[in-house]
Amino acid sequence: MSDDLMFDIAVVGAGPAGLAFTRSLTGSGLSVALIEGQPEAALRDPGFDGREIALTHHSIRLLKSLGAWDRVPAGEISDLREARVLDGGSAFALTFGAEGADRLGVLIPNHLIRRALFEIVEGQAGVSLMAGRKVANCAVEPAAPRGRVVLDDGATIRAKLIVAADSRFSGVRNQLGVGVEMNRLGRSMMVCRMRHDQAHGHVATEWFDHGQTVALLPVADAEERVSSVVLTLAAPAIAGLMSLTPEAFAVEIERRMQRRLTGLELVGTRHAYPLATTWSRRFAGEGFALIGDAAVGMHPVTAHGFNLGLRGQETLAKVVRSARVGDIGSGRLLARYEREHRLASWPLYRGTNALVRLFTEETAPARLARGVALRAGQATAPFKAVVRKMLTA
């Protein structure tokens, strides 16, 4: 053990949740090992990955408090002023406006948020970045400091607390013996930016068409004529779309959208991601905690996943900081994090999954139920107020 590297906390995963959690500990006096398989260059300047993140007002305030907000170029931030939900060929739309607020939220490219978070963590006192290194195995042991993380180069890290932030397919979660409810949906999400004739007006549209789901997200553009297109289909169909030439791809997407947008032109690269939802059986235990997608991997349809990940790391950081000179790996202490984050996550996770089932089943009763649900939602002011508050509170 004399050659082991000693830290208070070992964070595995330098994605948004892991980076935000590390930053949330600034000034705490705790030493942190931040372990990430990607090379440091990829963290410092991540490439465009196609994903536009819809941030709630709470997430905006959090990024500001962490010091990351001002590091995102203002010209890359797109206001989200209205959201619409469409079903099949019906012209009816369930709409959510900002009402008293100036906007429902904002949309920012994922890679710019990641870059901003890395910039504020890089050089943070007490943080040792271990990039380009992967976890070979990890465990929580009875003797202090409990956590043992062995890297692929043979180095061993001992920590009072292991924090898994390594994606919904978390290897750390598996090695710690935490069970997970996983639903591999057999579908993929393709994302890309496209220019079009019509102005988007900073309106986001979610269209549940028969056999496919299409989201149109407004991208920051002086003419308001560039949107992020998010298309969900069976994995083989997405693979076929990815192989088309840009010209043929634009024709096919215009056809799939039934010319709701015209003059489509691919802007930049296309990216495809397999869809799976995950719910960890435990969020914490003696000597460990799970945050971000390692705790809850949401379906992207309601755009809650990223925001939930930021909220979860904030909750864990507050619990850890409250220990002061106490045992930050105590199961009793970490149970507070688990209770609060499960309470915040459970309704969103189950509600989102129910929504996906309702709007993707193709039976006649399901189609009828969708139309009824949309019209009931539009006519129910309390329901719309609750959804609006989730975004603007």
Side-chain angles (χ1 to χ4, degrees):
M1 184 178 291
S2 59
D3 294 331
D4 293 350
L5 303 173
M6 308 298 290
F7 292 90
D8 292 310
I9 302 175
V11 178
V12 183
L19 289 169
F21 174 70
T22 301
R23 181 61 177 178
S24 294
L25 297 177
T26 187
S28 66
L30 296 169
S31 58
V32 179
L34 180 57
I35 306 161
E36 170 58 48
Q38 293 187 85
E40 188 171 336
L43 297 175
R44 182 173 290 108
D45 189 19
F48 177 71
D49 62 12
R51 290 176 288 192
E52 309 287 337
I53 304 300
L55 294 175
T56 63
H57 285 236
H58 179 85
S59 292
I60 293 170
R61 289 193 296 270
L62 178 59
L63 291 177
K64 287 180 177 179
S65 69
L66 294 177
W69 180 261
D70 290 338
R71 294 177 180 268
V72 177
E76 297 283 356
I77 301 173
S78 178
D79 284 350
L80 178 56
R81 299 173 188 159
E82 183 178 297
R84 301 187 304 163
V85 181
L86 305 173
D87 176 48
S90 173
F92 180 82
L94 171 61
T95 60
F96 299 94
E99 301 301 332
D102 58 342
R103 56 193 178 186
L104 282 171
V106 298
L107 287 150
I108 303 178
N110 180 56
H111 73 291
L112 296 182
I113 301 175
R114 295 174 68 103
R115 186 178 72 186
L117 286 169
F118 181 77
E119 287 177 356
I120 60 174
V121 168
E122 188 177 23
Q124 179 178 324
V127 176
S128 295
L129 174 65
M130 300 179 181
R133 302 166 80 177
K134 297 181 180 180
V135 174
N137 62 74
C138 64
V140 174
E141 301 174 340
R146 290 197 188 89
R148 178 176 55 82
V149 179
V150 180
L151 303 184
D152 55 359
D153 59 6
T156 298
I157 295 169
R158 302 303 299 259
K160 301 173 185 176
L161 172 63
I162 298 173
V163 176
D166 56 336
S167 88
R168 64 190 63 199
F169 305 109
S170 171
V172 171
R173 179 184 63 210
N174 294 341
Q175 291 184 29
L176 292 175
V178 178
V180 61
E181 172 189 299
M182 181 175 293
N183 184 13
R184 296 181 184 271
L185 303 173
R187 300 170 74 82
S188 291
M189 174 183 74
M190 187 210 62
V191 289
C192 64
R193 288 182 171 188
M194 302 197 79
R195 191 178 306 279
H196 41 79
D197 293 334
Q198 299 83 354
H200 56 56
H202 292 277
V203 176
T205 300
E206 188 83 36
W207 177 31
F208 295 95
D209 193 22
H210 305 313
Q212 66 178 12
T213 302
V214 182
L216 300 172
L217 308 176
V219 171
D221 172 66
E223 296 180 339
E224 298 183 5
R225 295 199 306 115
V226 176
S227 294
S228 174
V229 176
V230 185
L231 178 63
T232 302
L233 284 168
I238 290 294
L241 286 172
M242 294 287 289
S243 69
L244 294 176
T245 65
E247 295 75 18
F249 176 78
V251 170
E252 175 62 11
I253 294 300
E254 190 165 318
R255 181 192 72 79
R256 284 185 170 277
M257 291 198 297
Q258 299 179 14
R259 295 185 60 80
R260 290 174 184 269
L261 292 177
T262 58
L264 289 176
E265 174 188 356
L266 182 64
V267 179
T269 50
R270 288 165 278 183
H271 302 263
Y273 301 94
L275 291 183
T277 62
T278 55
W279 176 266
S280 296
R281 302 296 185 188
R282 302 176 68 190
F283 289 0
E286 201 75 29
F288 76 89
L290 279 56
I291 60 174
D293 284 356
V296 185
M298 296 281 290
H299 193 288
V301 69
T302 55
H304 280 307
F306 194 98
N307 296 287
L308 190 62
L310 288 182
R311 186 179 288 272
Q313 69 76 27
E314 180 186 28
T315 301
L316 178 60
K318 287 179 179 177
V319 168
V320 169
R321 295 180 73 110
S322 73
R324 296 184 177 87
V325 296
D327 182 2
I328 61 173
S330 162
R332 292 183 62 183
L333 176 75
L334 296 172
R336 289 168 43 196
Y337 158 68
E338 173 150 30
R339 284 194 300 270
E340 185 170 340
H341 196 42
R342 288 179 87 86
L343 184 62
S345 305
W346 180 257
L348 290 175
Y349 179 76
R350 290 302 177 194
T352 298
N353 289 350
L355 179 71
V356 171
R357 287 194 298 272
L358 173 63
F359 280 90
T360 55
E361 288 185 8
E362 295 301 332
T363 63
R367 292 186 182 186
L368 177 62
R370 288 199 290 267
V372 172
L374 287 182
R375 284 167 172 78
Q378 182 69 10
T380 308
F383 166 75
K384 297 182 72 175
V386 168
V387 173
R388 191 179 301 112
K389 185 176 180 180
M390 289 170 59
L391 297 172
T392 58

